[in-house]
Amino acid sequence: MMCLLQQDQAGVLQQDQAGVLQQDRAGQETAEPWSSTTRLRPVARTGDVPLMDIVQRHGTPAYVMDETDVRERCRAFRAALPDADILYAAKAFLCRAMATWIRQEGLGLDVCSGGELAVARSAGFPAERIVFHGNAKTPRELLEAVEYGVGRIVVDNLAEITRLAALIPPGRRQQVLLRVVPDVEAGAHTAIRTGGEDQKFGLSIASGDAAEAVSRVLARPELRLVGLHCHLGSQIRAAEPYERAARVMVEQLAHVRDTYGIVLPQLDLGGGLGIAYLEDERGLTPEAFAGTVLKATRDRCAALDLPMPLLVIEPGRSISGPAGLTLYRVIAVKHTLTRTFVAVDGGMSDNPRPSLYGARYTARLVGRRSAAPARQVTLAGHHCEAGGVIAESVALPADVRPGDVVAVPATGAHHHSMASTYNLTGRPPVIAVADGAARVVVRREDIDDLLRRDVGL
Ligand SMILES: Cc1ncc(COP(=O)(O)O)c(C=O)c1O
């Protein structure tokens, strides 16, 4: 499918016949995959901050996070599922500012490591609103979770039950959810499909581990089983897999009720809602997700004579992903016999997704107007791997040159959080923008940071 938005000679958004541009309240145009306050003309800006101001003040590469967009997405989930417990999945992107926005918007937090827990803690995120995940939580992580008093811990394997129970101080009971495998395959890439039998997460229903875990948790007075959990995978752009998962999970709740006479009050269906990375893509909206999941859960509960459980969901990417963009400086333009490479000052260390999952991106020239026609180029990174490409077949003005700045949208999730220091490249800063103001919420990692860890000589 052709890209629906094209860059015209002046670097301006053009509306094609499919009419994907939407009018916002101010009568301005906004379109996926850009954040809701991003405008590409007359001057490219996000949160009313010109992107070139950010470049001038903070350099490149830089992640820009649109606070307004994050907050709007939290509110959209709350509006679509007013009775649900909505937890933001911190693995998508977490820093203290983000934790604060999430708390202020009334969402809870799903963390999956001691590091994520520590950031949440230092931002004052209320312990009871935190859910702790992980398929191989270390004893230390479990202890930290218990010491902070996190609301719920999601048990992922049988050994964890005894380990966790042993850590609970006398007189306390830890609420737990059990992660079970619904055997529903969904997700954009095998590496991020976690709902099927043949992967490392959760307790298999088919093997009997899930039933065994229920019986073991119920036998531990230190633990209180409050529900079942599943997570199908990530970047799921259709609601149908959630419908199947909801049915399987309600059947498991009924199985617990039939076996033990206990009605578990919570059903956590995880996250995974997909977003648009390209102009012709559409994400799974909270409304579409909610409509499908609520109906499937209600119908199955009614059929099995179960009360409607408290639904818990854990969206990550669909809250922070579209809110982010990355700014890069063009360093070199190279023409081979087959294509044009536009090489920039970042790449696989700030965005590993193309290398890991074959993820696709688009990009725009920002900061100057060009009268040149658009040309398909490969946006390459500066790391020492031929595969270190940010985006293939991106339409940029044919006169793109060293010194230009390009913006890559939809980089708010699984970018900063998955960034590395490959080639001893420091990680970019995160600049939060809102209402005309920009502030550094995570500073750039510099060579001193990198050298500080190198204690050998
Ligand atoms: C248990 C769990 N919940 C929620 C999420 C969030 O997924 P997404 O960011 O795709 O919404 C993940 C992602 O890996 C996960 O593992």
Side-chain angles (χ1 to χ4, degrees), residues 26-201:
Q28 291 169 303
E29 288 159 349
T30 177
E32 306 228 54
W34 301 90
S35 77
S36 66
T37 76
T38 297
R39 304 286 176 269
L40 295 170
R41 69 177 181 188
V43 170
R45 63 197 194 280
T46 298
D48 252 337
V49 179
L51 295 179
M52 288 309 286
D53 284 5
I54 296 176
V55 170
Q56 270 143 26
R57 278 175 51 203
H58 304 288
T60 53
Y63 300 113
V64 176
M65 280 303 281
D66 181 343
E67 176 181 342
T68 307
D69 188 273
V70 168
R71 290 184 184 276
E72 285 170 358
R73 287 174 194 280
C74 293
R75 287 173 203 173
F77 271 104
R78 292 192 62 198
L81 287 159
D83 299 323
D85 186 8
I86 300 159
L87 314 171
Y88 168 67
K91 59 187 69 81
F93 166 68
L94 188 69
C95 64
R96 289 188 286 188
M98 182 71 180
T100 304
W101 304 340
I102 294 298
R103 175 177 51 75
Q104 289 172 344
E105 294 303 327
L107 273 57
L109 200 64
D110 139 14
V111 302
C112 71
S113 71
E116 289 177 2
L117 180 64
V119 172
R121 252 180 113 145
S122 93
F125 207 93
E128 67 278 7
R129 297 290 294 130
I130 297 177
V131 172
F132 201 101
H133 275 282
N135 72 306
K137 304 173 197 76
T138 63
R140 189 194 172 96
E141 285 175 324
L142 283 174
L143 182 63
E144 286 165 358
V146 169
E147 280 177 352
Y148 191 47
V150 306
R152 285 158 285 179
I153 294 179
V154 182
V155 168
D156 193 278
N157 58 71
L158 293 173
E160 200 167 86
I161 298 169
T162 332
R163 203 175 289 147
L164 175 60
L167 294 171
I168 310 300
R172 244 179 70 185
R173 278 186 99 190
Q174 176 64 51
Q175 296 195 12
V176 300
L177 293 157
L178 284 180
R179 177 163 180 168
V180 304
V181 183
D183 202 15
V184 173
E185 293 283 354
H189 186 277
T190 45
I192 51 171
R193 281 185 204 141
T194 57
E197 269 296 308
D198 191 23
Q199 50 77 45
K200 68 178 184 176
F201 293 98

Side-chain angles (χ1 to χ4, degrees), residues 271-399:
L273 286 81
I275 63 168
Y277 285 93
L278 303 175
E279 286 94 343
D280 60 353
E281 290 180 342
R282 291 293 166 269
L284 176 56
T285 63
E287 297 75 26
F289 169 84
T292 300
V293 160
L294 285 175
K295 182 174 180 335
T297 310
R298 268 195 205 114
D299 288 356
R300 206 69 200 116
C301 283
L304 295 169
D305 198 22
L306 271 175
M308 182 74 179
L310 170 71
L311 276 183
V312 185
I313 59 160
E314 304 166 343
R317 183 194 308 266
S318 51
I319 286 179
S320 57
L325 62 84
T326 308
L327 295 167
Y328 298 105
R329 179 80 70 181
V330 174
I331 302 294
V333 177
K334 194 179 282 178
H335 305 283
T336 70
L337 286 180
T338 50
R339 55 178 154 162
T340 298
F341 287 97
V342 174
V344 298
D345 56 358
M348 61 195 299
S349 63
D350 60 76
N351 182 0
R353 295 188 67 257
S355 311
L356 286 175
Y357 317 129
R360 295 172 61 215
Y361 289 86
T362 186
R364 285 308 190 96
L365 177 68
V366 296
R368 82 174 165 90
R369 292 181 160 246
S370 166
R375 174 168 52 201
Q376 300 289 315
V377 305
T378 297
L379 194 65
H382 74 152
H383 298 81
C384 295
E385 282 199 25
V389 159
I390 298 168
E392 304 277 4
S393 304
V394 175
L396 287 178
D399 66 351

Side-chain angles (χ1 to χ4, degrees), residues 214-293:
V214 172
S215 120
R216 289 196 198 180
V217 171
L218 291 176
R220 299 300 310 223
E222 309 88 342
L223 306 179
R224 182 166 160 244
L225 183 59
V226 292
L228 301 181
H229 169 280
C230 71
H231 171 70
L232 300 185
S234 213
Q235 189 55 6
I236 301 167
R237 292 198 288 131
E240 187 274 334
Y242 291 103
E243 184 181 344
R244 275 187 286 148
R247 282 203 304 264
V248 173
M249 295 300 286
V250 171
E251 280 154 22
Q252 289 305 304
L253 292 177
H255 185 65
V256 173
R257 189 257 333 258
D258 296 343
T259 313
Y260 300 98
I262 295 168
V263 175
L264 298 178
Q266 299 183 19
L267 176 57
D268 186 336
L269 292 174
L273 286 81
I275 63 168
Y277 285 93
L278 303 175
E279 286 94 343
D280 60 353
E281 290 180 342
R282 291 293 166 269
L284 176 56
T285 63
E287 297 75 26
F289 169 84
T292 300
V293 160

